[in-house]
Every structure is written in structure tokens, then in C-alpha cells.
Amino acid sequence: MDTPDPARPTDEIRGTAQGGAPVPLSVLDLVTVGSGSTARRALRTSVELARLAERRGYHRHWVAEHHSMPGVASSSPAVILAHLAAHTERIRLGSGGVMLPNHAPLVIAEQFGTLEALAPGRVDLGLGRAPGTDGATAAALRRTDRLTAGADDFPEQLAELTRFLDDDFPDGHPYARIHAVPGPVQATAPGGVQSAARPPVWLLGSSGFSARLAGTLGLPFAFAHHFSARNTVPALDLYRDSFRPSPVLDAPYALIGVAALASDDAREARRQVMTGALAMLRLTTGRPGLIPTPEEADAYDFGPMEREFVAGRLADIVHGTPDEVRAGLDELQKRTGADELMITASAHGGGARLRSYELIADAYGLPG
């Protein structure tokens, strides 16, 4: 195996903690749509959030692929990232993630090659193997010839995507003369002056499958602690135990997604996170909709099983005053050994989410 080059790939992947934060802090934006609001307003809030995150020293701003969910306006991560790239200058932008089984690998290579050309050196390609939706919607996305694709196909899809990104199919391969453009082929074509750089690939997961695969391939790994908290430590241990140095990364680098919301008043923080808990309850029981208002969540008559579900959700959300949230994040980072915390704030309104990121930045003494 080639010796890892510490000059570019590793430096682009690894963040640098600022202020009093123990590790870099980043943003996972689900582009949520609250009751009484619109997708247009949610996307405008996403721009405001990316600008705030850049100004306050957050390391990355990622968006996630979801489909057929009225309360989540992030069905097209590449489109959103292009828009965010036009409104920011320094912060890293990426997918958390693109669901690889929903797309042809060549299409993803072209989309993220285009993003790399728009925002050189700022783009991350995070990949997941789940559909990001229900089975019927996944079938509509993949069409007939994609319906049989499953978890066992993911490593092969990933290998194909990586070869398109690197433009290095071997001679004799059916795709050897096919090139993802923009991409490295433009640097080697006669008169070519384009950089051969391409976005670093991350693997995302909520179980051990992607953790082991990321470790074996020597790739950075992002774990969805915000909805699979019980599996976090086992998955990270598996990732680190299976890690092999690669030309991309010389040592393990694990990021975890964390649900967190800070407010000037602890009671208001709880009211806000209850809106996300109620939205998730409705989603898991086949009633997806917009994010309800705090008043709607206050008035909702929870049954015994519903109360148990919500209690479990709230236990995994770090919420309260800024000092309480900082203490919770610090404890989580220490317990998991995460190299980076990516914070997602679930609340009804954009104002509460923006305020939360400001308060967390203040609590850690981040710049700006």
C-alpha cells in the first residue's frame, strides 16, 4: 500500500478545534420545514446558518438526503450545496450524506466534481447505504433495475464511484473510456490545466457495517449518534479496530452527529426539542408532516407508548442552557472519543435553531 500523504487528504479531512472546544464543532442541517412555513423559507434559513457557522468558526456544514418527508426539504443535497457554496467563502460543505444506492455512481461523481470546481478544496462527499426514505419511495427513486440493490452491493458501488472520482479504471474495463467531468481527466487532456483534486469520501452509518468498511478502506467515518445512540461506542470501537492506514488517512478519524439545542431558558429549550420529538413520533408511525409548533407539542395528548418513545428521544438530545449543552457535549465527546462533533438542532422555527448555534459558539468561546 502507498504511504499516506499527510500534506493534502489528511489535512482536508481533519478539523482543528477552536476556542475552548475539545474537538472541532460542525453543523448538520436537515433543512427542516416548520408548520406554517415553506421550503423556500427553510432553504433561506440554511444559507443563514451556513454563514453563521462560517463566521463563528464551525468546521463543516453538511446537508442530508431525505425523500418524501414534508418536514425535510433536503431531497437534493448537491443542489443545496451549490447554493451554499455561492453564499460562503471558507467553511467546508458536504453531504451527510448522499444515499449511494439511490443513484448511479457516475452521476454522483459528476455532481461532486462540479461542486469541487465551484468551491475548490471545500467539499466533502459523505455516503450512506440506507435509502433515506421508505421502501416504496426507494423503489420510485431506483426504478425497476435498482430494486434488487441492497447492503451487499454497497462496497461494489463505492468502488465504482471511487474509480470515477479518481479516473482510474484499468485498461479493458467497460468504463475505462468513460470520464466523470468535471474531474481529473481534464488535468491530463491536451492543454489541461485543471487541478486533479477531488472531494474526500466519508462513509456514514448507524451500525457496524459501514464502520468496518470505513476502517478497512482507511476512510473517515461519521456515525449517526443522533438517532442510533446505543450503537455509537460499539461502532466507533469497530471502526478503530479495523482501521488500516491508506493514501487518504493515516489514522482513524471519527465524527458523530449529535442532536443538541441551546436556549437562554432551559424550559424553552425543552419546548423546542419536543417539537422534533413529536415530528419523529409521527414519522415512525406513518404520519409524516411538517415540524409542529411548540404550542401544538404542548397540547398533544401522548399515550403511554408515545410518552416512552418521546422520553427515549429526549434522553439522546443534549438540550438546555448554553452551559448545560456544553457540559453534555463535552461528556459525550469524552465518552466516545469522537474526533469531531457535528451538531443538528431540531426545532420548529429557524430562529431557534440559529440562536442555538450562536449560544453554543459563545459557550465554547468560538471566534466571531
Side-chain angles (χ1 to χ4, degrees):
M1 179 176 290
D2 294 336
T3 301
D5 175 10
R8 191 190 67 82
T10 295
D11 289 348
E12 286 192 356
I13 291 166
R14 295 186 183 279
T16 301
Q18 300 192 49
V23 294
L25 304 179
S26 293
V27 173
L28 175 61
D29 183 10
L30 301 183
V31 197
T32 50
V33 184
S35 176
S37 189
T38 63
R40 180 182 182 184
R41 184 174 298 173
L43 290 165
R44 289 165 63 182
T45 298
S46 188
V47 171
E48 292 182 59
L49 178 53
R51 287 173 164 170
L52 182 158
E54 182 172 75
R55 173 172 53 83
R56 294 308 310 267
Y58 288 90
H59 186 53
R60 310 177 206 272
H61 183 115
W62 281 6
V63 296
E65 178 183 347
H66 294 88
H67 299 279
S68 196
M69 298 181 186
V72 181
S74 59
S75 58
S76 302
V79 177
I80 298 172
L81 292 172
H83 187 58
L84 297 180
H87 289 85
T88 56
E89 298 178 354
R90 299 176 307 279
I91 193 168
R92 295 197 65 84
L93 302 169
S95 56
V98 164
M99 301 298 121
L100 181 53
N102 293 343
H103 311 277
L106 176 58
V107 171
I108 298 177
E110 291 175 332
Q111 290 176 345
F112 278 77
T114 301
L115 288 168
E116 178 65 27
L118 289 170
R122 291 206 288 140
V123 177
D124 300 319
L125 173 51
L127 299 167
R129 67 187 183 100
T133 188
D134 59 272
T137 306
L141 285 165
R142 301 175 190 184
R143 309 302 297 171
T144 305
D145 62 345
R146 301 289 293 169
L147 288 178
T148 57
D152 292 341
D153 298 303
F154 184 79
E156 288 74 25
Q157 296 169 19
L158 175 62
E160 182 179 313
L161 171 58
T162 301
R163 288 203 175 275
F164 275 124
L165 289 169
D166 291 332
D167 197 52
D168 68 350
F169 283 101
D171 293 340
H173 192 282
Y175 297 159
R177 300 185 65 181
I178 299 174
H179 309 286
V181 178
V185 67
Q186 293 171 306
T188 59
V193 294
Q194 178 168 325
S195 168
R198 55 92 159 167
V201 170
W202 290 67
L203 293 194
L204 280 60
S206 57
S207 65
F209 182 96
S210 292
R212 185 187 299 275
L213 183 60
T216 301
L217 297 177
L219 295 176
F221 179 56
F223 187 82
H225 174 83
H226 54 295
F227 64 79
S228 187
R230 287 178 296 178
N231 293 325
T232 302
V233 171
L236 295 187
D237 287 346
L238 181 59
Y239 168 61
R240 293 170 183 134
D241 290 343
S242 60
F243 185 85
R244 301 174 185 172
S246 73
V248 173
L249 201 58
D250 52 6
Y253 191 84
L255 170 160
I256 61 173
V258 184
L261 190 111
S263 175
D264 295 289
D265 179 76
R267 290 172 298 180
E268 181 59 23
R270 185 175 180 84
R271 290 186 75 228
Q272 290 292 340
V273 298
M274 278 294 295
T275 67
L278 177 55
M280 182 59 68
L281 171 65
R282 289 171 169 171
L283 176 65
T284 57
T285 54
R287 301 171 290 159
L290 304 180
I291 308 299
T293 65
E295 292 75 19
E296 186 178 355
D298 287 343
Y300 187 86
D301 185 16
F302 291 92
M305 293 185 65
E306 292 178 325
R307 283 195 296 271
E308 183 177 348
F309 175 88
V310 168
R313 289 287 301 175
L314 294 182
D316 294 331
I317 302 175
V318 182
H319 61 284
T321 65
D323 287 342
E324 290 171 335
V325 170
R326 173 174 176 166
L329 293 176
D330 286 350
E331 186 280 329
L332 178 61
Q333 188 280 324
K334 184 177 181 180
R335 175 161 51 89
T336 62
D339 299 294
E340 186 171 336
L341 300 179
M342 179 166 276
I343 300 167
T344 182
S346 180
H348 168 263
R353 295 171 58 227
L354 293 167
R355 178 62 176 161
S356 176
Y357 286 106
E358 285 274 22
L359 291 174
I360 292 172
D362 289 342
Y364 279 108
L366 298 188

